[in-house]
Amino acid sequence: MGWFLLPFDNLLCIVLGISFTVGFSSLLVIVVPAVLGVSIGIRRLYMKSLLKVFEWATVRMERGAKEKNQHLYKPYSNGIIAKELSSLEQEIQELRASGTTLSSEPEFEMADIMYFCRRGVESIVDDEVTKRFSAQELESWNLLTRSNFNARHISLRLSVLWGLGLFIRYSFLLPLRVTLAASGIGLLVVLTTIVGFIPSGWLRTYLSEKIHLMSYRICVRSLTAIITYHNSENKPKNGGICVANHTTPIDVIILANDGCYSMVGQIHGGLIGVVQRAMVKSSPHIWFERSEVKDRHLVAERLSNHVADKTKHPILIFPEGTCINNTSVMMFKKGSFEIGCTVYPVAIKYDPRFGDAFWNSSKFGMVNYLLRMMSSWAIVCSVWYLPPMSREEGEDAVQFANRVKAAIATQGGLVDLLWDGGLKRGKVKNTFKEEQQKLYSKVLVIKCQRSPTHCLGEALDQRIYWIGSLKVISITMNYSDTISIAMNYSETM
Amino acid sequence: MGSRASTLLREEEIEEIKKETGFSHSQITRLYSRFTSLDKGENGTLSREDFQRIPELAINPLGDRIINAFFPEGEDQVNFRGFMRTLAHFRPIEDNEKNKDPIASEPLNSRSNKLLFAFRLYDLDRDDKISRDELLQVLRMMVGVNISDEQLGSIADRTIQEADQNGDNSISFNEFIKVLEKVDVEQKMSIRFLH
């Protein structure tokens, strides 16, 4: 029996030898530049070649579909329907175009129901909120089954390419990346613990910064993240708060790759807890116990204390509170905007063609998500540092938060929504429905001639709840005084 | 690959829906994608909770009535066919459809069917009549707490008075059509579906 196995034994040795050599040299090629903070440019080359492959694949699919005379499924990136951008009042007036006079009697027409009916069905077909909590659909296929909606055999060449891609991703890229990630995190834990023994001083801060940056660079390479930083002159400085839109936990790594931040968050158990505890030994991160998280005052106090100390790094906060799918920015929670320090907004936009970075926490757990990340092609994103903002005179925390949100949305090319990210899991508040009912009752009970500004203010106010596009919100801010005055006026009548 | 393929719509089904509702092939596939994204339970049907998860619908004062319109009498689940059938009411009326085949049954998006949809929103107990009580209830849904009972009562009375022709103190479907004859129903009850 022994002689039969010999050739295989030899073959096995050769294969193992080759894979170890390849693996080790790739590790070296990746880790050494990471430690030194230098970039060779392998990743960008990789990205360019991938793009060419995707384009070819899309062309093949379209050709294949035409030949078979089938329809190629195109995701509704432009929307399924075209919505009417008019307010409740405008529509109801149009419905009553049969020329009833403006009397002092309350007016009701049976046709009024059609406005609500149409709006309701429009929102069933396409609404602004629910689609933000699932992965964005792609225009062209990127050779990952997870984003393929056609799922039909198009051509042999394409399937071969897909198979090849699968092989490369799972047998070469994935193990490499996992090793890198493990070494990055391991280094972080070990080195920060060691540095923690050095007494406080410039040496400790300096070493801690270097260690953090190095580990994050390794982690970035472990995800094959290709990041472009814009406007680095606006990078957050000590004594401020850095605010960004949230798509995935990886956002933290992407930002920390380029600068030192203090993280804020809840202490977890398990591996993450170990990492958190190690990190805080060498630099002042803000971790809360689960019970403390609910206590708003405590949170605000610790944040203010941290910010007041100019030697500490800027705090990194994601005010949305939950992961959104990177097509929009949802309501910013006002807590971080009440502290009263400079806010440095940052916009992060992922390129979905190379791998969908959004963490759909209701569908995937953390480990599953990381595995998916590491078996995608790459994570390509752009980070824009926006000029710092502070709260202005007469602006309250909510308005300030909305202003920052609008700036981030414009820069990142995202839709600015007033809806709460918490709607992912929770129900919408009844107050919004009551607002709608109030607006409609105002239309019914017309007791006086209304001024144009009142109409304008109210019409725009109503738009926020239905559409929430960027321009509308900013205009409404300017008219906010008019609206409150006009509403008071009509209520006293 | 497996789970997606099993939920893909078959060509025959798409053809059937096309004939019944008049939607185009690409519209049907896109609406199917929307249907599956709403179907959190992944069992091929939508329940009332699935609809209520849409925030914009939840804040619509008549949200519950609209949701109800999707579910046939006594049922709690709606499948894709039923979903499309209801949505078909909101397709715009195209000119060439008006002259097509007069023998075929009336398309789902005719003026008359659109009016029937609106009528059913008022008719809570599905007895083909809008009574004063039903009208009051629907009005209450639309205005919330902002108008008093007496005012609302007088609005309802006035509306029934104007519409009622046979003196039974309720509005039948024909009386409803008469009241709305000047309204541009085709435009107001249509949604512009993109191709």
Side-chain angles (χ1 to χ4, degrees):
Chain A
M1 272 304 220
W3 62 267
F4 187 66
L5 289 169
L6 259 170
F8 292 108
D9 212 11
N10 239 350
L11 193 62
L12 193 64
C13 278
I14 297 177
V15 167
L16 275 174
I18 294 179
S19 38
F20 270 126
T21 325
V22 166
F24 198 63
S25 42
S26 342
L27 268 177
L28 268 181
V29 167
I30 295 172
V31 172
V32 170
V35 171
L36 299 173
V38 169
S39 175
I40 306 183
I42 303 178
R43 283 174 290 157
R44 292 209 183 264
L45 188 65
Y46 169 66
M47 183 175 96
K48 288 200 184 87
S49 25
L50 270 180
L51 269 176
K52 290 213 179 72
V53 174
F54 295 160
E55 276 166 25
W56 179 86
T58 317
V59 168
R60 287 295 310 190
M61 278 173 79
E62 284 172 355
R63 216 190 300 161
K66 256 193 218 126
E67 279 167 18
K68 292 188 189 166
N69 218 2
Q70 279 168 356
H71 289 91
L72 194 69
Y73 172 78
K74 276 243 141 83
Y76 53 97
S77 37
N78 292 331
I80 309 182
I81 53 180
K83 287 195 186 170
E84 303 285 334
L85 286 177
S86 51
S87 72
L88 186 149
E89 284 159 5
Q90 273 175 290
E91 295 243 6
I92 305 250
Q93 309 295 14
E94 283 173 30
L95 274 168
R96 295 167 180 193
S98 45
T100 40
T101 51
L102 261 181
S103 60
S104 58
E105 285 289 318
E107 304 177 18
F108 169 70
E109 298 272 332
M110 295 209 81
D112 287 351
I113 205 176
M114 292 189 186
Y115 168 75
F116 292 109
C117 180
R118 208 191 75 230
R119 282 281 189 216
V121 179
E122 270 179 1
S123 63
I124 291 177
V125 175
D126 187 15
D127 78 300
E128 286 297 319
V129 183
T130 54
K131 65 186 181 193
R132 310 292 173 194
F133 301 134
S134 59
Q136 187 185 12
E137 296 196 6
L138 291 174
E139 302 242 354
S140 57
W141 192 35
N142 63 350
L143 293 177
L144 296 172
T145 1
R146 56 190 78 147
S147 48
N148 183 7
F149 298 99
N150 284 302
R152 275 175 233 160
H153 177 83
I154 302 287
S155 81
L156 184 64
R157 257 191 254 179
L158 208 59
S159 307
V160 165
L161 199 65
W162 171 75
L164 192 67
L166 193 75
F167 179 72
I168 294 178
R169 280 185 296 121
Y170 278 92
S171 61
F172 174 60
L173 288 177
L174 184 60
L176 184 66
R177 286 172 178 167
V178 171
T179 326
L180 275 172
S183 40
I185 295 176
L187 270 174
L188 180 67
V189 171
V190 166
L191 290 176
T192 45
T193 318
I194 294 177
V195 167
F197 288 118
I198 302 177
S200 285
W202 72 266
L203 180 66
R204 175 166 145 165
T205 323
Y206 176 74
L207 277 179
S208 152
E209 276 181 27
K210 290 293 165 212
I211 291 169
H212 272 97
L213 278 174
M214 182 190 77
S215 336
Y216 284 121
R217 276 198 286 262
I218 299 181
C219 286
V220 158
R221 279 159 175 77
S222 79
L223 292 164
T224 318
I226 303 164
I227 311 169
T228 318
Y229 295 99
H230 303 268
N231 306 336
S232 291
E233 67 271 10
N234 292 326
K235 246 201 269 196
K237 301 190 180 50
N238 289 1
I241 295 186
C242 175
V243 154
N245 58 316
H246 200 28
T247 308
T248 150
I250 294 178
D251 286 339
V252 171
I253 301 179
I254 294 201
L255 286 178
N257 182 41
D258 196 40
C260 290
Y261 298 94
S262 293
M263 319 282 170
V264 180
Q266 198 184 306
I267 280 248
H268 289 96
L271 180 62
I272 305 180
V274 170
V275 177
Q276 285 178 318
R277 272 176 262 268
M279 281 167 71
V280 85
K281 288 203 177 95
S282 62
S283 77
H285 297 285
I286 306 174
W287 303 124
F288 289 103
E289 300 291 332
R290 182 161 273 232
S291 49
E292 293 173 333
V293 170
K294 298 278 160 75
D295 187 350
R296 284 253 217 102
H297 287 294
L298 181 65
V299 172
E301 203 188 304
R302 279 184 73 174
L303 289 177
S304 317
N305 289 342
H306 185 109
V307 159
D309 187 347
K310 295 296 176 199
T311 60
K312 295 189 179 161
H313 296 301
I315 305 178
L316 180 58
I317 289 186
F318 298 103
E320 281 167 314
T322 183
C323 293
I324 312 293
N325 78 344
N326 208 232
T327 55
S328 68
V329 185
M330 296 188 118
M331 187 180 93
F332 275 6
K333 305 220 181 329
K334 63 178 175 133
S336 17
F337 297 93
E338 284 172 327
I339 298 178
C341 59
T342 329
V343 167
Y344 298 89
V346 175
I348 308 175
K349 179 84 177 106
Y350 290 88
D351 189 337
R353 289 175 296 180
F354 295 92
D356 176 42
F358 167 59
W359 182 32
N360 193 342
S361 49
S362 48
K363 242 181 160 185
F364 310 111
M366 177 61 104
V367 178
N368 203 344
Y369 168 71
L370 283 174
L371 280 175
R372 280 170 68 94
M373 279 300 98
M374 292 191 186
S375 60
S376 316
W377 294 112
I379 294 176
V380 180
C381 63
S382 292
V383 174
W384 286 274
Y385 293 108
L386 296 164
M389 294 177 157
S390 323
R391 198 157 85 182
E392 284 170 7
E393 285 290 320
E395 208 181 26
D396 71 0
V398 175
Q399 289 167 325
F400 180 39
N402 284 338
R403 193 159 59 91
V404 172
K405 176 158 68 82
I408 292 181
T410 328
Q411 181 62 270
L414 307 163
V415 177
D416 188 357
L417 294 176
L418 262 191
W419 295 100
D420 186 353
L423 288 171
K424 200 197 238 181
R425 301 210 167 81
K427 290 203 164 196
V428 65
K429 285 195 277 213
N430 258 346
T431 44
F432 291 107
K433 190 190 245 185
E434 287 158 20
E435 284 294 322
Q436 290 292 307
Q437 289 170 327
K438 207 172 185 177
L439 275 168
Y440 179 63
S441 342
K442 286 208 163 70
V443 172
L444 278 196
V445 188
I446 304 166
K447 288 234 155 90
C448 58
Q449 284 283 1
R450 288 174 306 168
S451 63
T453 42
H454 174 112
C455 283
L456 191 60
E458 216 163 9
L460 292 170
D461 185 44
Q462 210 255 303
R463 273 195 222 187
I464 290 178
Y465 298 115
W466 289 111
I467 294 150
S469 64
L470 170 66
K471 289 207 183 74
V472 173
I473 291 174
S474 51
I475 294 174
T476 309
M477 301 284 218
N478 299 334
Y479 278 99
S480 60
D481 290 327
T482 326
I483 291 178
S484 51
I485 295 170
M487 280 201 164
N488 289 335
Y489 175 59
S490 64
E491 269 157 32
T492 54
M493 296 300 289
Chain B
M1 194 103 166
S3 59
R4 271 227 183 261
S6 62
T7 52
L8 270 182
L9 217 45
R10 295 190 317 271
E11 280 299 320
E12 314 90 63
E13 276 190 75
I14 299 182
E15 285 301 315
E16 281 173 38
I17 297 176
K18 202 170 173 180
K19 251 186 255 158
E20 191 182 0
T21 61
F23 282 114
S24 74
H25 196 282
S26 61
Q27 285 169 341
I28 296 174
T29 30
R30 269 195 240 144
L31 286 167
Y32 185 68
S33 167
R34 173 69 175 168
F35 180 83
T36 40
S37 73
L38 289 174
D39 179 14
K40 288 282 185 279
E42 289 187 2
N43 53 359
T45 60
L46 294 178
S47 66
R48 287 194 166 80
E49 288 76 42
D50 287 323
F51 283 102
Q52 275 152 1
R53 227 175 271 122
I54 304 172
E56 283 169 34
L57 188 62
I59 70 172
N60 189 320
L62 291 175
D64 287 328
R65 293 301 304 152
I66 297 170
I67 294 174
N68 218 43
F70 279 85
F71 294 87
E73 184 75 54
E75 289 189 23
D76 283 324
Q77 302 283 334
V78 57
N79 61 10
F80 184 57
R81 293 291 287 270
F83 183 70
M84 292 303 280
R85 222 173 280 133
T86 316
L87 285 183
H89 285 94
F90 291 87
R91 265 188 63 235
I93 298 177
E94 288 127 38
D95 279 309
N96 55 2
E97 273 192 311
K98 285 185 187 152
N99 303 326
K100 235 199 313 189
D101 209 354
I103 311 168
S105 60
E106 206 175 356
L108 284 166
N109 65 337
S110 66
R111 185 193 161 90
S112 170
N113 276 324
K114 286 183 199 279
L115 282 167
L116 189 59
F117 192 91
F119 182 79
R120 291 216 175 108
L121 285 178
Y122 281 110
D123 186 11
L124 297 168
D125 57 6
R126 299 189 200 224
D127 64 349
D128 294 328
K129 278 204 305 270
I130 305 175
S131 68
R132 182 179 185 272
D133 259 338
E134 288 173 344
L135 187 57
L136 259 180
Q137 280 186 55
V138 174
L139 274 169
R140 184 50 75 193
M141 282 186 223
M142 287 200 267
V143 304
V145 299
N146 299 295
I147 296 186
S148 66
D149 278 331
E150 303 88 55
Q151 271 194 322
L152 217 58
S154 66
I155 293 176
D157 286 328
R158 220 190 84 231
T159 313
I160 294 193
Q161 214 181 21
E162 286 178 359
D164 193 16
Q165 284 165 350
N166 62 354
D168 60 355
N169 220 28
S170 61
I171 307 177
S172 72
F173 183 47
N174 289 323
E175 289 162 358
F176 187 71
I177 296 180
K178 192 92 204 331
V179 171
L180 293 174
E181 64 185 349
K182 289 212 191 77
V183 176
D184 185 4
V185 177
E186 287 87 338
Q187 205 249 320
K188 289 299 165 187
M189 288 282 278
S190 291
I191 298 177
R192 281 186 289 159
F193 289 93
L194 299 172
H195 287 286

